[in-house]
PDB file of all heavy atoms in Angstrom:
ATOM      1  N   ALA H   1      -8.552   5.513  -3.950  1.00  0.00           N
ATOM      2  CA  ALA H   1      -7.791   4.270  -4.039  1.00  0.00           C
ATOM      3  C   ALA H   1      -8.113   3.347  -2.868  1.00  0.00           C
ATOM      4  O   ALA H   1      -8.481   3.801  -1.775  1.00  0.00           O
ATOM      5  CB  ALA H   1      -6.293   4.563  -4.059  1.00  0.00           C
ATOM      6  N   VAL H   2      -7.979   2.059  -3.127  1.00  0.00           N
ATOM      7  CA  VAL H   2      -8.000   1.032  -2.081  1.00  0.00           C
ATOM      8  C   VAL H   2      -6.628   0.387  -2.068  1.00  0.00           C
ATOM      9  O   VAL H   2      -6.129  -0.052  -3.117  1.00  0.00           O
ATOM     10  CB  VAL H   2      -9.071  -0.043  -2.352  1.00  0.00           C
ATOM     11  CG1 VAL H   2      -9.034  -1.104  -1.251  1.00  0.00           C
ATOM     12  CG2 VAL H   2     -10.454   0.571  -2.451  1.00  0.00           C
ATOM     13  N   VAL H   3      -6.009   0.349  -0.912  1.00  0.00           N
ATOM     14  CA  VAL H   3      -4.682  -0.229  -0.770  1.00  0.00           C
ATOM     15  C   VAL H   3      -4.838  -1.624  -0.161  1.00  0.00           C
ATOM     16  O   VAL H   3      -5.292  -1.760   0.974  1.00  0.00           O
ATOM     17  CB  VAL H   3      -3.771   0.650   0.113  1.00  0.00           C
ATOM     18  CG1 VAL H   3      -2.362   0.074   0.159  1.00  0.00           C
ATOM     19  CG2 VAL H   3      -3.739   2.085  -0.413  1.00  0.00           C
ATOM     20  N   VAL H   4      -4.483  -2.647  -0.942  1.00  0.00           N
ATOM     21  CA  VAL H   4      -4.686  -4.042  -0.543  1.00  0.00           C
ATOM     22  C   VAL H   4      -3.344  -4.669  -0.163  1.00  0.00           C
ATOM     23  O   VAL H   4      -2.410  -4.696  -0.975  1.00  0.00           O
ATOM     24  CB  VAL H   4      -5.330  -4.857  -1.684  1.00  0.00           C
ATOM     25  CG1 VAL H   4      -5.570  -6.308  -1.238  1.00  0.00           C
ATOM     26  CG2 VAL H   4      -6.632  -4.210  -2.143  1.00  0.00           C
ATOM     27  N   ASP H   5      -3.234  -5.139   1.069  1.00  0.00           N
ATOM     28  CA  ASP H   5      -2.052  -5.872   1.542  1.00  0.00           C
ATOM     29  C   ASP H   5      -0.736  -5.150   1.259  1.00  0.00           C
ATOM     30  O   ASP H   5       0.198  -5.734   0.687  1.00  0.00           O
ATOM     31  CB  ASP H   5      -1.998  -7.266   0.890  1.00  0.00           C
ATOM     32  CG  ASP H   5      -3.059  -8.222   1.410  1.00  0.00           C
ATOM     33  OD1 ASP H   5      -3.696  -7.904   2.430  1.00  0.00           O
ATOM     34  OD2 ASP H   5      -3.237  -9.286   0.796  1.00  0.00           O
ATOM     35  N   PRO H   6      -0.582  -3.887   1.653  1.00  0.00           N
ATOM     36  CA  PRO H   6       0.681  -3.202   1.371  1.00  0.00           C
ATOM     37  C   PRO H   6       1.849  -3.864   2.112  1.00  0.00           C
ATOM     38  O   PRO H   6       1.745  -4.178   3.289  1.00  0.00           O
ATOM     39  CB  PRO H   6       0.429  -1.779   1.886  1.00  0.00           C
ATOM     40  CG  PRO H   6      -0.642  -1.931   2.929  1.00  0.00           C
ATOM     41  CD  PRO H   6      -1.510  -3.048   2.440  1.00  0.00           C
ATOM     42  N   ALA H   7       2.960  -4.074   1.382  1.00  0.00           N
ATOM     43  CA  ALA H   7       4.092  -4.805   1.968  1.00  0.00           C
ATOM     44  C   ALA H   7       5.371  -4.481   1.203  1.00  0.00           C
ATOM     45  O   ALA H   7       5.318  -4.000   0.094  1.00  0.00           O
ATOM     46  CB  ALA H   7       3.801  -6.319   1.895  1.00  0.00           C
ATOM     47  N   TRP H   8       6.595  -4.711   1.689  1.00  0.00           N
ATOM     48  CA  TRP H   8       6.756  -5.339   3.008  1.00  0.00           C
ATOM     49  C   TRP H   8       7.773  -4.505   3.771  1.00  0.00           C
ATOM     50  O   TRP H   8       7.670  -4.304   4.960  1.00  0.00           O
ATOM     51  CB  TRP H   8       7.260  -6.751   2.783  1.00  0.00           C
ATOM     52  CG  TRP H   8       7.568  -7.554   4.020  1.00  0.00           C
ATOM     53  CD1 TRP H   8       8.112  -7.103   5.193  1.00  0.00           C
ATOM     54  CD2 TRP H   8       7.333  -8.918   4.194  1.00  0.00           C
ATOM     55  NE1 TRP H   8       8.234  -8.139   6.078  1.00  0.00           N
ATOM     56  CE2 TRP H   8       7.764  -9.262   5.499  1.00  0.00           C
ATOM     57  CE3 TRP H   8       6.813  -9.910   3.405  1.00  0.00           C
ATOM     58  CZ2 TRP H   8       7.685 -10.556   5.994  1.00  0.00           C
ATOM     59  CZ3 TRP H   8       6.736 -11.176   3.902  1.00  0.00           C
ATOM     60  CH2 TRP H   8       7.161 -11.507   5.191  1.00  0.00           C
ATOM     61  N   GLN H   9       8.803  -4.023   3.049  1.00  0.00           N
ATOM     62  CA  GLN H   9       9.872  -3.288   3.716  1.00  0.00           C
ATOM     63  C   GLN H   9       9.534  -1.797   3.797  1.00  0.00           C
ATOM     64  O   GLN H   9       8.683  -1.292   3.065  1.00  0.00           O
ATOM     65  CB  GLN H   9      11.185  -3.494   2.971  1.00  0.00           C
ATOM     66  CG  GLN H   9      11.601  -4.955   2.852  1.00  0.00           C
ATOM     67  CD  GLN H   9      11.795  -5.634   4.197  1.00  0.00           C
ATOM     68  OE1 GLN H   9      12.118  -4.968   5.193  1.00  0.00           O
ATOM     69  NE2 GLN H   9      11.606  -6.944   4.252  1.00  0.00           N
ATOM     70  N   ALA H  10      10.230  -1.105   4.690  1.00  0.00           N
ATOM     71  CA  ALA H  10       9.925   0.303   4.932  1.00  0.00           C
ATOM     72  C   ALA H  10      10.062   1.132   3.664  1.00  0.00           C
ATOM     73  O   ALA H  10       9.209   1.980   3.368  1.00  0.00           O
ATOM     74  CB  ALA H  10      10.839   0.854   6.026  1.00  0.00           C
ATOM     75  N   ASP H  11      11.131   0.900   2.889  1.00  0.00           N
ATOM     76  CA  ASP H  11      11.310   1.681   1.668  1.00  0.00           C
ATOM     77  C   ASP H  11      10.254   1.358   0.631  1.00  0.00           C
ATOM     78  O   ASP H  11       9.853   2.214  -0.173  1.00  0.00           O
ATOM     79  CB  ASP H  11      12.718   1.468   1.094  1.00  0.00           C
ATOM     80  CG  ASP H  11      12.984   0.030   0.696  1.00  0.00           C
ATOM     81  OD1 ASP H  11      12.658  -0.885   1.482  1.00  0.00           O
ATOM     82  OD2 ASP H  11      13.521  -0.201  -0.407  1.00  0.00           O
ATOM     83  N   GLU H  12       9.759   0.132   0.649  1.00  0.00           N
ATOM     84  CA  GLU H  12       8.715  -0.268  -0.297  1.00  0.00           C
ATOM     85  C   GLU H  12       7.377   0.376   0.081  1.00  0.00           C
ATOM     86  O   GLU H  12       6.621   0.817  -0.803  1.00  0.00           O
ATOM     87  CB  GLU H  12       8.615  -1.786  -0.329  1.00  0.00           C
ATOM     88  CG  GLU H  12       9.876  -2.439  -0.865  1.00  0.00           C
ATOM     89  CD  GLU H  12       9.922  -3.942  -0.691  1.00  0.00           C
ATOM     90  OE1 GLU H  12       9.203  -4.486   0.169  1.00  0.00           O
ATOM     91  OE2 GLU H  12      10.695  -4.581  -1.427  1.00  0.00           O
ATOM     92  N   LEU H  13       7.098   0.444   1.355  1.00  0.00           N
ATOM     93  CA  LEU H  13       5.897   1.152   1.794  1.00  0.00           C
ATOM     94  C   LEU H  13       6.000   2.639   1.455  1.00  0.00           C
ATOM     95  O   LEU H  13       5.010   3.267   1.044  1.00  0.00           O
ATOM     96  CB  LEU H  13       5.684   0.943   3.294  1.00  0.00           C
ATOM     97  CG  LEU H  13       5.339  -0.488   3.717  1.00  0.00           C
ATOM     98  CD1 LEU H  13       5.442  -0.633   5.231  1.00  0.00           C
ATOM     99  CD2 LEU H  13       3.953  -0.892   3.242  1.00  0.00           C
ATOM    100  N   ASP H  14       7.198   3.203   1.601  1.00  0.00           N
ATOM    101  CA  ASP H  14       7.425   4.593   1.174  1.00  0.00           C
ATOM    102  C   ASP H  14       7.125   4.759  -0.311  1.00  0.00           C
ATOM    103  O   ASP H  14       6.522   5.749  -0.735  1.00  0.00           O
ATOM    104  CB  ASP H  14       8.879   5.005   1.432  1.00  0.00           C
ATOM    105  CG  ASP H  14       9.138   5.414   2.877  1.00  0.00           C
ATOM    106  OD1 ASP H  14       8.184   5.826   3.564  1.00  0.00           O
ATOM    107  OD2 ASP H  14      10.301   5.322   3.310  1.00  0.00           O
ATOM    108  N   ARG H  15       7.573   3.797  -1.105  1.00  0.00           N
ATOM    109  CA  ARG H  15       7.356   3.886  -2.557  1.00  0.00           C
ATOM    110  C   ARG H  15       5.868   3.832  -2.896  1.00  0.00           C
ATOM    111  O   ARG H  15       5.392   4.539  -3.800  1.00  0.00           O
ATOM    112  CB  ARG H  15       8.101   2.752  -3.262  1.00  0.00           C
ATOM    113  CG  ARG H  15       7.909   2.736  -4.775  1.00  0.00           C
ATOM    114  CD  ARG H  15       8.539   3.948  -5.438  1.00  0.00           C
ATOM    115  NE  ARG H  15       8.143   4.054  -6.845  1.00  0.00           N
ATOM    116  CZ  ARG H  15       7.217   4.894  -7.321  1.00  0.00           C
ATOM    117  NH1 ARG H  15       6.582   5.726  -6.498  1.00  0.00           N
ATOM    118  NH2 ARG H  15       6.924   4.920  -8.604  1.00  0.00           N
ATOM    119  N   LEU H  16       5.119   3.008  -2.185  1.00  0.00           N
ATOM    120  CA  LEU H  16       3.671   2.971  -2.398  1.00  0.00           C
ATOM    121  C   LEU H  16       3.039   4.316  -2.055  1.00  0.00           C
ATOM    122  O   LEU H  16       2.152   4.805  -2.772  1.00  0.00           O
ATOM    123  CB  LEU H  16       3.045   1.860  -1.551  1.00  0.00           C
ATOM    124  CG  LEU H  16       3.302   0.426  -2.010  1.00  0.00           C
ATOM    125  CD1 LEU H  16       2.861  -0.549  -0.927  1.00  0.00           C
ATOM    126  CD2 LEU H  16       2.580   0.134  -3.311  1.00  0.00           C
ATOM    127  N   ALA H  17       3.502   4.917  -0.969  1.00  0.00           N
ATOM    128  CA  ALA H  17       2.993   6.244  -0.602  1.00  0.00           C
ATOM    129  C   ALA H  17       3.367   7.276  -1.660  1.00  0.00           C
ATOM    130  O   ALA H  17       2.554   8.158  -1.993  1.00  0.00           O
ATOM    131  CB  ALA H  17       3.542   6.651   0.764  1.00  0.00           C
ATOM    132  N   ASP H  18       4.582   7.178  -2.209  1.00  0.00           N
ATOM    133  CA  ASP H  18       4.997   8.075  -3.285  1.00  0.00           C
ATOM    134  C   ASP H  18       4.069   7.942  -4.482  1.00  0.00           C
ATOM    135  O   ASP H  18       3.684   8.943  -5.107  1.00  0.00           O
ATOM    136  CB  ASP H  18       6.428   7.768  -3.735  1.00  0.00           C
ATOM    137  CG  ASP H  18       7.480   8.176  -2.722  1.00  0.00           C
ATOM    138  OD1 ASP H  18       7.157   8.991  -1.826  1.00  0.00           O
ATOM    139  OD2 ASP H  18       8.619   7.685  -2.832  1.00  0.00           O
ATOM    140  N   LEU H  19       3.719   6.713  -4.814  1.00  0.00           N
ATOM    141  CA  LEU H  19       2.854   6.478  -5.970  1.00  0.00           C
ATOM    142  C   LEU H  19       1.496   7.147  -5.792  1.00  0.00           C
ATOM    143  O   LEU H  19       0.975   7.791  -6.709  1.00  0.00           O
ATOM    144  CB  LEU H  19       2.663   4.998  -6.210  1.00  0.00           C
ATOM    145  CG  LEU H  19       1.665   4.702  -7.324  1.00  0.00           C
ATOM    146  CD1 LEU H  19       2.283   4.896  -8.694  1.00  0.00           C
ATOM    147  CD2 LEU H  19       1.070   3.330  -7.195  1.00  0.00           C
ATOM    148  N   LEU H  20       0.923   6.981  -4.615  1.00  0.00           N
ATOM    149  CA  LEU H  20      -0.362   7.629  -4.350  1.00  0.00           C
ATOM    150  C   LEU H  20      -0.239   9.138  -4.532  1.00  0.00           C
ATOM    151  O   LEU H  20      -1.103   9.778  -5.152  1.00  0.00           O
ATOM    152  CB  LEU H  20      -0.843   7.293  -2.937  1.00  0.00           C
ATOM    153  CG  LEU H  20      -1.230   5.837  -2.664  1.00  0.00           C
ATOM    154  CD1 LEU H  20      -1.569   5.663  -1.183  1.00  0.00           C
ATOM    155  CD2 LEU H  20      -2.413   5.398  -3.519  1.00  0.00           C
ATOM    156  N   ALA H  21       0.849   9.711  -4.012  1.00  0.00           N
ATOM    157  CA  ALA H  21       1.047  11.156  -4.118  1.00  0.00           C
ATOM    158  C   ALA H  21       1.262  11.572  -5.572  1.00  0.00           C
ATOM    159  O   ALA H  21       0.692  12.575  -6.036  1.00  0.00           O
ATOM    160  CB  ALA H  21       2.232  11.582  -3.249  1.00  0.00           C
ATOM    161  N   GLU H  22       2.078  10.814  -6.305  1.00  0.00           N
ATOM    162  CA  GLU H  22       2.356  11.146  -7.696  1.00  0.00           C
ATOM    163  C   GLU H  22       1.089  11.146  -8.547  1.00  0.00           C
ATOM    164  O   GLU H  22       0.937  11.966  -9.460  1.00  0.00           O
ATOM    165  CB  GLU H  22       3.368  10.144  -8.269  1.00  0.00           C
ATOM    166  CG  GLU H  22       4.770  10.296  -7.721  1.00  0.00           C
ATOM    167  CD  GLU H  22       5.621   9.063  -7.977  1.00  0.00           C
ATOM    168  OE1 GLU H  22       5.136   8.144  -8.700  1.00  0.00           O
ATOM    169  OE2 GLU H  22       6.748   9.002  -7.470  1.00  0.00           O
ATOM    170  N   ARG H  23       0.195  10.231  -8.255  1.00  0.00           N
ATOM    171  CA  ARG H  23      -1.039  10.113  -9.032  1.00  0.00           C
ATOM    172  C   ARG H  23      -2.190  10.903  -8.408  1.00  0.00           C
ATOM    173  O   ARG H  23      -3.315  10.833  -8.884  1.00  0.00           O
ATOM    174  CB  ARG H  23      -1.424   8.645  -9.174  1.00  0.00           C
ATOM    175  CG  ARG H  23      -0.383   7.841  -9.934  1.00  0.00           C
ATOM    176  CD  ARG H  23      -0.975   6.602 -10.534  1.00  0.00           C
ATOM    177  NE  ARG H  23      -0.018   5.906 -11.382  1.00  0.00           N
ATOM    178  CZ  ARG H  23      -0.369   5.085 -12.369  1.00  0.00           C
ATOM    179  NH1 ARG H  23      -1.652   4.864 -12.632  1.00  0.00           N
ATOM    180  NH2 ARG H  23       0.552   4.480 -13.089  1.00  0.00           N
ATOM    181  N   ARG H  24      -1.864  11.632  -7.341  1.00  0.00           N
ATOM    182  CA  ARG H  24      -2.868  12.432  -6.625  1.00  0.00           C
ATOM    183  C   ARG H  24      -4.068  11.573  -6.214  1.00  0.00           C
ATOM    184  O   ARG H  24      -5.218  11.974  -6.330  1.00  0.00           O
ATOM    185  CB  ARG H  24      -3.301  13.630  -7.465  1.00  0.00           C
ATOM    186  CG  ARG H  24      -2.191  14.657  -7.637  1.00  0.00           C
ATOM    187  CD  ARG H  24      -2.668  15.901  -8.327  1.00  0.00           C
ATOM    188  NE  ARG H  24      -2.969  15.641  -9.735  1.00  0.00           N
ATOM    189  CZ  ARG H  24      -3.572  16.497 -10.541  1.00  0.00           C
ATOM    190  NH1 ARG H  24      -3.967  17.674 -10.084  1.00  0.00           N
ATOM    191  NH2 ARG H  24      -3.783  16.187 -11.811  1.00  0.00           N
ATOM    192  N   LEU H  25      -3.739  10.401  -5.695  1.00  0.00           N
ATOM    193  CA  LEU H  25      -4.756   9.482  -5.211  1.00  0.00           C
ATOM    194  C   LEU H  25      -4.841   9.555  -3.687  1.00  0.00           C
ATOM    195  O   LEU H  25      -3.829   9.689  -3.007  1.00  0.00           O
ATOM    196  CB  LEU H  25      -4.426   8.042  -5.618  1.00  0.00           C
ATOM    197  CG  LEU H  25      -4.408   7.735  -7.112  1.00  0.00           C
ATOM    198  CD1 LEU H  25      -3.863   6.333  -7.355  1.00  0.00           C
ATOM    199  CD2 LEU H  25      -5.805   7.878  -7.706  1.00  0.00           C
ATOM    200  N   THR H  26      -6.051   9.458  -3.179  1.00  0.00           N
ATOM    201  CA  THR H  26      -6.291   9.416  -1.742  1.00  0.00           C
ATOM    202  C   THR H  26      -6.787   8.030  -1.370  1.00  0.00           C
ATOM    203  O   THR H  26      -7.733   7.512  -1.978  1.00  0.00           O
ATOM    204  CB  THR H  26      -7.342  10.458  -1.332  1.00  0.00           C
ATOM    205  OG1 THR H  26      -6.860  11.765  -1.661  1.00  0.00           O
ATOM    206  CG2 THR H  26      -7.622  10.383   0.159  1.00  0.00           C
ATOM    207  N   ALA H  27      -6.143   7.422  -0.387  1.00  0.00           N
ATOM    208  CA  ALA H  27      -6.577   6.099   0.063  1.00  0.00           C
ATOM    209  C   ALA H  27      -7.915   6.225   0.777  1.00  0.00           C
ATOM    210  O   ALA H  27      -8.019   6.843   1.835  1.00  0.00           O
ATOM    211  CB  ALA H  27      -5.536   5.481   0.985  1.00  0.00           C
ATOM    212  N   ALA H  28      -8.941   5.647   0.163  1.00  0.00           N
ATOM    213  CA  ALA H  28     -10.272   5.638   0.767  1.00  0.00           C
ATOM    214  C   ALA H  28     -10.450   4.458   1.707  1.00  0.00           C
ATOM    215  O   ALA H  28     -11.256   4.515   2.642  1.00  0.00           O
ATOM    216  CB  ALA H  28     -11.340   5.582  -0.328  1.00  0.00           C
ATOM    217  N   LEU H  29      -9.688   3.380   1.454  1.00  0.00           N
ATOM    218  CA  LEU H  29      -9.795   2.164   2.240  1.00  0.00           C
ATOM    219  C   LEU H  29      -8.455   1.443   2.238  1.00  0.00           C
ATOM    220  O   LEU H  29      -7.668   1.556   1.289  1.00  0.00           O
ATOM    221  CB  LEU H  29     -10.811   1.184   1.633  1.00  0.00           C
ATOM    222  CG  LEU H  29     -12.301   1.428   1.720  1.00  0.00           C
ATOM    223  CD1 LEU H  29     -13.020   0.314   0.951  1.00  0.00           C
ATOM    224  CD2 LEU H  29     -12.756   1.468   3.165  1.00  0.00           C
ATOM    225  N   GLY H  30      -8.248   0.663   3.273  1.00  0.00           N
ATOM    226  CA  GLY H  30      -7.242  -0.388   3.244  1.00  0.00           C
ATOM    227  C   GLY H  30      -7.959  -1.715   3.333  1.00  0.00           C
ATOM    228  O   GLY H  30      -9.041  -1.804   3.937  1.00  0.00           O
ATOM    229  N   TRP H  31      -7.406  -2.748   2.713  1.00  0.00           N
ATOM    230  CA  TRP H  31      -7.999  -4.077   2.813  1.00  0.00           C
ATOM    231  C   TRP H  31      -6.889  -5.097   3.058  1.00  0.00           C
ATOM    232  O   TRP H  31      -5.866  -5.097   2.366  1.00  0.00           O
ATOM    233  CB  TRP H  31      -8.763  -4.458   1.546  1.00  0.00           C
ATOM    234  CG  TRP H  31      -9.389  -5.825   1.664  1.00  0.00           C
ATOM    235  CD1 TRP H  31      -8.909  -7.000   1.175  1.00  0.00           C
ATOM    236  CD2 TRP H  31     -10.596  -6.148   2.379  1.00  0.00           C
ATOM    237  NE1 TRP H  31      -9.745  -8.043   1.533  1.00  0.00           N
ATOM    238  CE2 TRP H  31     -10.788  -7.542   2.271  1.00  0.00           C
ATOM    239  CE3 TRP H  31     -11.518  -5.388   3.093  1.00  0.00           C
ATOM    240  CZ2 TRP H  31     -11.873  -8.188   2.852  1.00  0.00           C
ATOM    241  CZ3 TRP H  31     -12.602  -6.038   3.680  1.00  0.00           C
ATOM    242  CH2 TRP H  31     -12.768  -7.412   3.549  1.00  0.00           C
ATOM    243  N   SER H  32      -7.084  -5.936   4.069  1.00  0.00           N
ATOM    244  CA  SER H  32      -6.178  -7.052   4.350  1.00  0.00           C
ATOM    245  C   SER H  32      -6.881  -8.347   4.000  1.00  0.00           C
ATOM    246  O   SER H  32      -7.988  -8.603   4.495  1.00  0.00           O
ATOM    247  CB  SER H  32      -5.767  -7.070   5.828  1.00  0.00           C
ATOM    248  OG  SER H  32      -4.936  -5.970   6.134  1.00  0.00           O
ATOM    249  N   THR H  33      -6.248  -9.168   3.166  1.00  0.00           N
ATOM    250  CA  THR H  33      -6.886 -10.413   2.769  1.00  0.00           C
ATOM    251  C   THR H  33      -6.968 -11.413   3.912  1.00  0.00           C
ATOM    252  O   THR H  33      -7.882 -12.248   3.937  1.00  0.00           O
ATOM    253  CB  THR H  33      -6.147 -11.059   1.585  1.00  0.00           C
ATOM    254  OG1 THR H  33      -4.758 -11.232   1.927  1.00  0.00           O
ATOM    255  CG2 THR H  33      -6.262 -10.199   0.334  1.00  0.00           C
ATOM    256  N   HIS H  34      -6.030 -11.317   4.859  1.00  0.00           N
ATOM    257  CA  HIS H  34      -6.079 -12.203   6.022  1.00  0.00           C
ATOM    258  C   HIS H  34      -5.129 -11.669   7.089  1.00  0.00           C
ATOM    259  O   HIS H  34      -4.383 -10.716   6.846  1.00  0.00           O
ATOM    260  CB  HIS H  34      -5.751 -13.645   5.641  1.00  0.00           C
ATOM    261  CG  HIS H  34      -4.394 -13.851   5.033  1.00  0.00           C
ATOM    262  ND1 HIS H  34      -4.049 -13.364   3.787  1.00  0.00           N
ATOM    263  CD2 HIS H  34      -3.287 -14.500   5.487  1.00  0.00           C
ATOM    264  CE1 HIS H  34      -2.811 -13.712   3.498  1.00  0.00           C
ATOM    265  NE2 HIS H  34      -2.321 -14.381   4.526  1.00  0.00           N
ATOM    266  N   ALA H  35      -5.154 -12.311   8.249  1.00  0.00           N
ATOM    267  CA  ALA H  35      -4.473 -11.749   9.417  1.00  0.00           C
ATOM    268  C   ALA H  35      -3.111 -12.380   9.669  1.00  0.00           C
ATOM    269  O   ALA H  35      -2.797 -12.777  10.797  1.00  0.00           O
ATOM    270  CB  ALA H  35      -5.353 -11.888  10.651  1.00  0.00           C
ATOM    271  N   HIS H  36      -2.277 -12.467   8.635  1.00  0.00           N
ATOM    272  CA  HIS H  36      -0.872 -12.799   8.818  1.00  0.00           C
ATOM    273  C   HIS H  36      -0.057 -11.523   8.728  1.00  0.00           C
ATOM    274  O   HIS H  36      -0.428 -10.579   8.023  1.00  0.00           O
ATOM    275  CB  HIS H  36      -0.418 -13.829   7.779  1.00  0.00           C
ATOM    276  CG  HIS H  36      -0.976 -15.196   8.024  1.00  0.00           C
ATOM    277  ND1 HIS H  36      -0.977 -16.194   7.074  1.00  0.00           N
ATOM    278  CD2 HIS H  36      -1.569 -15.732   9.128  1.00  0.00           C
ATOM    279  CE1 HIS H  36      -1.520 -17.289   7.582  1.00  0.00           C
ATOM    280  NE2 HIS H  36      -1.890 -17.034   8.827  1.00  0.00           N
ATOM    281  N   HIS H  37       1.082 -11.498   9.430  1.00  0.00           N
ATOM    282  CA  HIS H  37       1.776 -10.228   9.660  1.00  0.00           C
ATOM    283  C   HIS H  37       2.144  -9.486   8.380  1.00  0.00           C
ATOM    284  O   HIS H  37       2.118  -8.259   8.349  1.00  0.00           O
ATOM    285  CB  HIS H  37       3.023 -10.456  10.524  1.00  0.00           C
ATOM    286  CG  HIS H  37       4.069 -11.325   9.902  1.00  0.00           C
ATOM    287  ND1 HIS H  37       4.022 -12.695   9.968  1.00  0.00           N
ATOM    288  CD2 HIS H  37       5.193 -11.016   9.205  1.00  0.00           C
ATOM    289  CE1 HIS H  37       5.074 -13.195   9.348  1.00  0.00           C
ATOM    290  NE2 HIS H  37       5.796 -12.199   8.862  1.00  0.00           N
TER     291      HIS H  37
END
């Protein structure tokens, strides 16, 4: 998997991590479209 611009709240980031685990996906890359927080 490639994780693009993961956001924004702590529980939402947890949910994204849950999804990767549920689908047995490993993040191969992260990608940020630009450098805003």
Side-chain angles (χ1 to χ4, degrees):
V2 179
V3 184
V4 181
D5 289 348
W8 177 323
Q9 302 300 333
D11 62 314
E12 295 170 339
L13 293 168
D14 279 336
R15 179 67 190 102
L16 287 169
D18 289 342
L19 175 78
L20 293 175
E22 289 163 7
R23 297 203 174 204
R24 292 187 290 171
L25 296 172
T26 299
L29 287 177
W31 181 261
S32 291
T33 55
H34 60 292
H36 288 164
H37 63 276

